Amino acid sequence: MSEEPFLRNHWSVVASNLVRSASIMGAAFLVSFYSGGDGMPREMVAGIFAAFLALMTVAIVIIWKKTKFYFREDEIVVERTTLFRSTTRIQYDRLASVNVEKDVVCRLLGATKLSFNLNSSVNAARAEAYIVLKDPDAEALRTEIASRMFGERRESVQAEPQEETSLVDVSVLDIFLHSFLGMPTPQFVGGMAMLLYSAYSQFTSALSIVAILFFIMDFFLPAVSSFFRLYGYRITRSGDTVRISSGFFSTRQDSFKLSKVNFVKVREPFICRLIGKAILEVEVVGTANSSGVPLLCPLKSKGVAMALFRELLPEFECEAAPSRQKGVAMAGSIFWAASVSAAAWAVCILLSGHVAEGLYMGVLAAFAIAVTAVSIGWAVLSYRERRFSMDGSILMLVVGSYDRTTNYILLDKIQFVEVTAGPILRMHGAARCNVSMLSTAGSASVRSGVFATEVLERLSSEVLARILDGRYDFRRFQ
């Protein structure tokens, strides 16, 4: 194999890995350097850091030098001849996507990272292989591989539709609202509560560092990270291939065939529902995006999101009338809501004997009332919102309470269906079901509400029947 022509990563991969490693090691050693006390002398700490940095540099350079890529007619071969030797083979027809990424170092040095992802759940959130090349070489290679994966006509780099109009007009304000309002409601409410408590503690006593840290780590940093990751969002389509690009500091472009989509999700966090907005996502095995599932439409009006859904994936629409939950579901929701409310009032009663009357008693009462109101709202919404319908080859499951998610699932993409029922549900002829599928993160399951047992069992029977009578055709998804 050594006599064949091969490619090697651009040297920017060495710089990028070195910067990342040095940042982590530097932070750890700076803590030791300024810790003082009876620890090691600062000169020794600096010497250890320099030795580790030199050792890390040598290791990164050796790995870079000993990693070779062979692009054959039918497969990609990645050969590593370091201390632990390995050979990875990836067939073109098994690739799910070729993603284009540029971190800050790559952008400064004019390089592009191509990641190759298989349609597999084993490494679903991690690419099987990647190569870093100069921008023109990377674009030429991506076009060549796309022609083999998707059957696209080979075109020159100049013919790539860089200026193609996005299917959805996404402004900076849309990305800002998506990043700060599109998170789950508990995360948003918790972040706001920590922010208010921090502001309150600043004027009444010592500033609460714990509350500030919770606000920054659980709300502010994820929102800011999402904003810069989705900045400049564009989605384009070329035949059956969808391309999604975004990024402020580091840019990323995902490409996948629509036939690789396993199911579609329309997410509506509670605050977004109040202003008539929704988020459109898809599950595509092999996208290798650790930041989340592929996003077809950031937070926009629900009409815009659904219009894009019907344009790109009309085969996922479900026109059957949805079934409502059995009455026993409401009884179960009321039971849990009553239990949580009773626990909240019990805590308040126990604490009331240890606080003085006045402001703190009012805070305890307000807390118990708020928990009771939220619990009642959860019980009502969890019963009213959850739906089930099946139309031909499509299953629609609506789950959630305050945050509603509508899942459109191809029956042929379902791995298995588990129907479960406890003693009380069996007495009322009701059950729940877990629908398991391959997903971006490897696997995913959607748990339904409480519906008639025969309705849910018909789902598992239909999945098997489609395989037995030949309606399931795997060639549709290649």
Side-chain angles (χ1 to χ4, degrees), residues 96-142:
S97 64
V98 177
N99 298 328
V100 179
E101 302 176 59
K102 289 186 178 184
D103 59 19
V104 176
V105 175
C106 285
R107 295 181 69 178
L108 290 175
L109 299 178
T112 298
K113 176 181 176 181
L114 300 179
S115 55
F116 308 107
N117 314 298
L118 289 177
N119 193 15
S120 166
S121 65
V122 178
N123 285 338
R126 179 182 177 184
E128 275 68 24
Y130 72 86
I131 186 171
V132 180
L133 301 171
K134 291 290 289 183
D135 290 341
D137 298 333
E139 181 56 37
L141 179 61
R142 190 205 65 80

Side-chain angles (χ1 to χ4, degrees), residues 233-248:
Y233 177 91
R234 296 179 72 253
I235 176 172
T236 60
R237 178 178 182 177
S238 177
D240 192 34
T241 303
V242 171
R243 293 186 177 88
I244 300 173
S245 60
S246 64
F248 186 85

Side-chain angles (χ1 to χ4, degrees), residues 144-184:
E144 174 70 19
I145 294 179
S147 69
R148 302 185 184 190
M149 288 174 51
F150 304 145
E152 294 176 344
R153 180 167 47 89
R154 300 183 186 182
E155 299 174 347
S156 63
V157 177
Q158 289 78 11
E160 181 69 19
Q162 297 289 344
E163 301 300 326
E164 191 172 347
T165 304
S166 177
L167 298 177
V168 178
D169 183 18
V170 180
S171 65
V172 176
L173 178 60
D174 292 329
I175 298 300
F176 179 84
L177 293 177
H178 174 91
S179 301
F180 285 86
L181 300 183
M183 62 181 61

